[in-house]
Amino acid sequence: MKEFYIDSDGIRLHAKLDTPEGFEKGPLCILFHGFTGHMEEDHLVALQKAINNSGIAVLRAEMYGHGKSEGKFSEHTLYKWVTNALSVVKYARSLDFVTDLYLCGHSQGGLLTMLVGGMCRDIFKAILPISPAWMIPDGARTGHLLNIDFDPVNIPDKIIGWDRELSGDYIRVAQTIHVEDEINRYTGPVLIVHGTADDAVPFSYGEKASKLYKNATLIPIKDAGHCFDDHLQELSDAVSEFFKTV
Ligand code: FER
């Protein structure tokens, strides 16, 4: 394992690179955490290990205001995350041992995977949005995020929910994002894994995304919640099986 920082327009992003045993040259998968998350969460580590066991290097990176990366949580926006993700993609492409590139992310990191997958459709051989939180832009437009109602026209300076403070700018940015455009842009293989008992991101969003993508597989994990507690083996198996097919 190598631990380091990747520069993203002056913001230092905390990163870790894990390679399979005896790995010299081969594919690499970028892996993103979700909203309030970080790279050491159990489900992130389970994903990293499952991908490594498929013979693929994994580059985990923490986004603006999360984990050990720079930036304040309350000042993060999806544009900042997209900028960060593009910096990580650029870094990954500069590594001379990398052959194919894959992109995986959980929840808000799954939304990021869908956006950057569309933007970089010529770069990623496959993408894996896990429990993708792509209802966030709709929630920002209708005035409902973090289980809190707000006025989507006269946007408050901040909203507080789940013990966290989100800025009005987070909402303003999210309102401009149209995930369907990026779904349509990506035509490569897509794996969506989603717990049927997810109470943070409804399972119906994983299901709907899997129908809209041209080439998606949906693996529902029965009774699993948002972070796949007690279902990590099923999550790992779904990812391992997918990498046998791409
Ligand atoms: C929300 C529901 C879920 C929300 C964010 C999430 C900002 C993201 C969850 C995650 O990334 O784990 O209303 O609002």
Side-chain angles (χ1 to χ4, degrees), residues 139-155:
R141 284 186 282 268
T142 57
H144 189 81
L145 285 174
L146 306 176
N147 284 335
I148 291 179
D149 294 317
F150 57 87
D151 181 344
V153 176
N154 299 292
I155 297 171

mmCIF file of all heavy atoms in Angstrom, residues 139-155:
data_model
loop_
_atom_site.group_PDB
_atom_site.id
_atom_site.type_symbol
_atom_site.label_atom_id
_atom_site.label_comp_id
_atom_site.label_asym_id
_atom_site.label_seq_id
_atom_site.Cartn_x
_atom_site.Cartn_y
_atom_site.Cartn_z
ATOM 1 N N GLY A 139 -33.639 16.194 -5.396
ATOM 2 C CA GLY A 139 -33.944 16.672 -4.043
ATOM 3 C C GLY A 139 -33.609 18.155 -3.887
ATOM 4 O O GLY A 139 -34.345 18.909 -3.242
ATOM 5 N N ALA A 140 -32.486 18.561 -4.502
ATOM 6 C CA ALA A 140 -32.094 19.978 -4.441
ATOM 7 C C ALA A 140 -33.107 20.844 -5.181
ATOM 8 O O ALA A 140 -33.433 21.951 -4.754
ATOM 9 C CB ALA A 140 -30.699 20.154 -5.030
ATOM 10 N N ARG A 141 -33.648 20.313 -6.308
ATOM 11 C CA ARG A 141 -34.610 21.093 -7.103
ATOM 12 C C ARG A 141 -35.991 21.141 -6.455
ATOM 13 O O ARG A 141 -36.715 22.121 -6.591
ATOM 14 C CB ARG A 141 -34.719 20.505 -8.516
ATOM 15 C CG ARG A 141 -33.534 20.850 -9.406
ATOM 16 C CD ARG A 141 -33.728 20.394 -10.839
ATOM 17 N NE ARG A 141 -33.493 18.962 -11.013
ATOM 18 C CZ ARG A 141 -32.319 18.418 -11.345
ATOM 19 N NH1 ARG A 141 -31.273 19.189 -11.545
ATOM 20 N NH2 ARG A 141 -32.196 17.113 -11.483
ATOM 21 N N THR A 142 -36.373 20.063 -5.742
ATOM 22 C CA THR A 142 -37.709 20.034 -5.130
ATOM 23 C C THR A 142 -37.685 20.531 -3.682
ATOM 24 O O THR A 142 -38.755 20.687 -3.078
ATOM 25 C CB THR A 142 -38.300 18.606 -5.165
ATOM 26 O OG1 THR A 142 -37.389 17.719 -4.506
ATOM 27 C CG2 THR A 142 -38.529 18.127 -6.581
ATOM 28 N N GLY A 143 -36.486 20.777 -3.118
ATOM 29 C CA GLY A 143 -36.407 21.320 -1.761
ATOM 30 C C GLY A 143 -36.484 20.265 -0.682
ATOM 31 O O GLY A 143 -37.148 20.467 0.339
ATOM 32 N N HIS A 144 -35.788 19.153 -0.909
ATOM 33 C CA HIS A 144 -35.793 18.108 0.110
ATOM 34 C C HIS A 144 -34.462 17.362 0.086
ATOM 35 O O HIS A 144 -34.194 16.584 -0.813
ATOM 36 C CB HIS A 144 -36.963 17.142 -0.150
ATOM 37 C CG HIS A 144 -37.158 16.161 0.966
ATOM 38 N ND1 HIS A 144 -37.829 16.464 2.125
ATOM 39 C CD2 HIS A 144 -36.732 14.883 1.106
ATOM 40 C CE1 HIS A 144 -37.821 15.414 2.932
ATOM 41 N NE2 HIS A 144 -37.158 14.430 2.329
ATOM 42 N N LEU A 145 -33.621 17.628 1.106
ATOM 43 C CA LEU A 145 -32.338 16.911 1.251
ATOM 44 C C LEU A 145 -32.132 16.615 2.729
ATOM 45 O O LEU A 145 -32.598 17.389 3.586
ATOM 46 C CB LEU A 145 -31.168 17.766 0.746
ATOM 47 C CG LEU A 145 -30.984 17.923 -0.768
ATOM 48 C CD1 LEU A 145 -29.859 18.918 -1.048
ATOM 49 C CD2 LEU A 145 -30.711 16.595 -1.465
ATOM 50 N N LEU A 146 -31.429 15.564 3.050
ATOM 51 C CA LEU A 146 -31.125 15.192 4.441
ATOM 52 C C LEU A 146 -32.398 15.108 5.286
ATOM 53 O O LEU A 146 -32.381 15.458 6.472
ATOM 54 C CB LEU A 146 -30.168 16.225 5.087
ATOM 55 C CG LEU A 146 -28.861 16.548 4.371
ATOM 56 C CD1 LEU A 146 -28.114 17.652 5.105
ATOM 57 C CD2 LEU A 146 -27.997 15.303 4.277
ATOM 58 N N ASN A 147 -33.503 14.716 4.667
ATOM 59 C CA ASN A 147 -34.805 14.649 5.354
ATOM 60 C C ASN A 147 -35.293 16.015 5.829
ATOM 61 O O ASN A 147 -36.116 16.104 6.736
ATOM 62 C CB ASN A 147 -34.773 13.694 6.552
ATOM 63 C CG ASN A 147 -34.816 12.257 6.087
ATOM 64 O OD1 ASN A 147 -35.308 11.972 4.997
ATOM 65 N ND2 ASN A 147 -34.282 11.357 6.901
ATOM 66 N N ILE A 148 -34.766 17.069 5.224
ATOM 67 C CA ILE A 148 -35.176 18.430 5.605
ATOM 68 C C ILE A 148 -35.837 19.093 4.402
ATOM 69 O O ILE A 148 -35.374 18.928 3.269
ATOM 70 C CB ILE A 148 -33.941 19.245 6.036
ATOM 71 C CG1 ILE A 148 -33.431 18.668 7.352
ATOM 72 C CG2 ILE A 148 -34.242 20.721 6.164
ATOM 73 C CD1 ILE A 148 -32.222 19.358 7.843
ATOM 74 N N ASP A 149 -36.922 19.824 4.647
ATOM 75 C CA ASP A 149 -37.569 20.588 3.579
ATOM 76 C C ASP A 149 -37.045 22.015 3.593
ATOM 77 O O ASP A 149 -36.858 22.589 4.647
ATOM 78 C CB ASP A 149 -39.091 20.602 3.801
ATOM 79 C CG ASP A 149 -39.686 19.211 3.644
ATOM 80 O OD1 ASP A 149 -39.294 18.512 2.689
ATOM 81 O OD2 ASP A 149 -40.510 18.811 4.490
ATOM 82 N N PHE A 150 -36.793 22.552 2.390
ATOM 83 C CA PHE A 150 -36.356 23.952 2.284
ATOM 84 C C PHE A 150 -36.946 24.531 1.011
ATOM 85 O O PHE A 150 -37.462 23.807 0.154
ATOM 86 C CB PHE A 150 -34.820 24.048 2.290
ATOM 87 C CG PHE A 150 -34.159 23.240 1.207
ATOM 88 C CD1 PHE A 150 -33.956 23.744 -0.058
ATOM 89 C CD2 PHE A 150 -33.763 21.919 1.468
ATOM 90 C CE1 PHE A 150 -33.367 22.975 -1.052
ATOM 91 C CE2 PHE A 150 -33.172 21.150 0.471
ATOM 92 C CZ PHE A 150 -32.979 21.677 -0.787
ATOM 93 N N ASP A 151 -36.871 25.867 0.915
ATOM 94 C CA ASP A 151 -37.392 26.563 -0.261
ATOM 95 C C ASP A 151 -36.336 26.473 -1.376
ATOM 96 O O ASP A 151 -35.242 27.026 -1.235
ATOM 97 C CB ASP A 151 -37.674 28.026 0.121
ATOM 98 C CG ASP A 151 -38.248 28.824 -1.039
ATOM 99 O OD1 ASP A 151 -38.164 28.367 -2.201
ATOM 100 O OD2 ASP A 151 -38.764 29.931 -0.775
ATOM 101 N N PRO A 152 -36.652 25.773 -2.493
ATOM 102 C CA PRO A 152 -35.637 25.591 -3.540
ATOM 103 C C PRO A 152 -35.411 26.834 -4.390
ATOM 104 O O PRO A 152 -34.502 26.853 -5.216
ATOM 105 C CB PRO A 152 -36.213 24.446 -4.383
ATOM 106 C CG PRO A 152 -37.685 24.516 -4.185
ATOM 107 C CD PRO A 152 -37.912 25.064 -2.800
ATOM 108 N N VAL A 153 -36.236 27.873 -4.209
ATOM 109 C CA VAL A 153 -36.038 29.118 -4.971
ATOM 110 C C VAL A 153 -35.267 30.122 -4.123
ATOM 111 O O VAL A 153 -34.216 30.620 -4.520
ATOM 112 C CB VAL A 153 -37.391 29.700 -5.437
ATOM 113 C CG1 VAL A 153 -37.169 31.032 -6.147
ATOM 114 C CG2 VAL A 153 -38.104 28.707 -6.356
ATOM 115 N N ASN A 154 -35.775 30.361 -2.925
ATOM 116 C CA ASN A 154 -35.054 31.240 -1.987
ATOM 117 C C ASN A 154 -34.208 30.338 -1.090
ATOM 118 O O ASN A 154 -34.604 29.992 0.018
ATOM 119 C CB ASN A 154 -36.038 32.070 -1.182
ATOM 120 C CG ASN A 154 -36.867 32.952 -2.106
ATOM 121 O OD1 ASN A 154 -36.346 33.880 -2.708
ATOM 122 N ND2 ASN A 154 -38.131 32.620 -2.267
ATOM 123 N N ILE A 155 -33.055 29.990 -1.593
ATOM 124 C CA ILE A 155 -32.241 28.940 -0.973
ATOM 125 C C ILE A 155 -31.623 29.452 0.333
ATOM 126 O O ILE A 155 -31.042 30.546 0.362
ATOM 127 C CB ILE A 155 -31.147 28.486 -1.978
ATOM 128 C CG1 ILE A 155 -31.841 27.863 -3.210
ATOM 129 C CG2 ILE A 155 -30.179 27.500 -1.348
ATOM 130 C CD1 ILE A 155 -30.920 27.580 -4.363
#
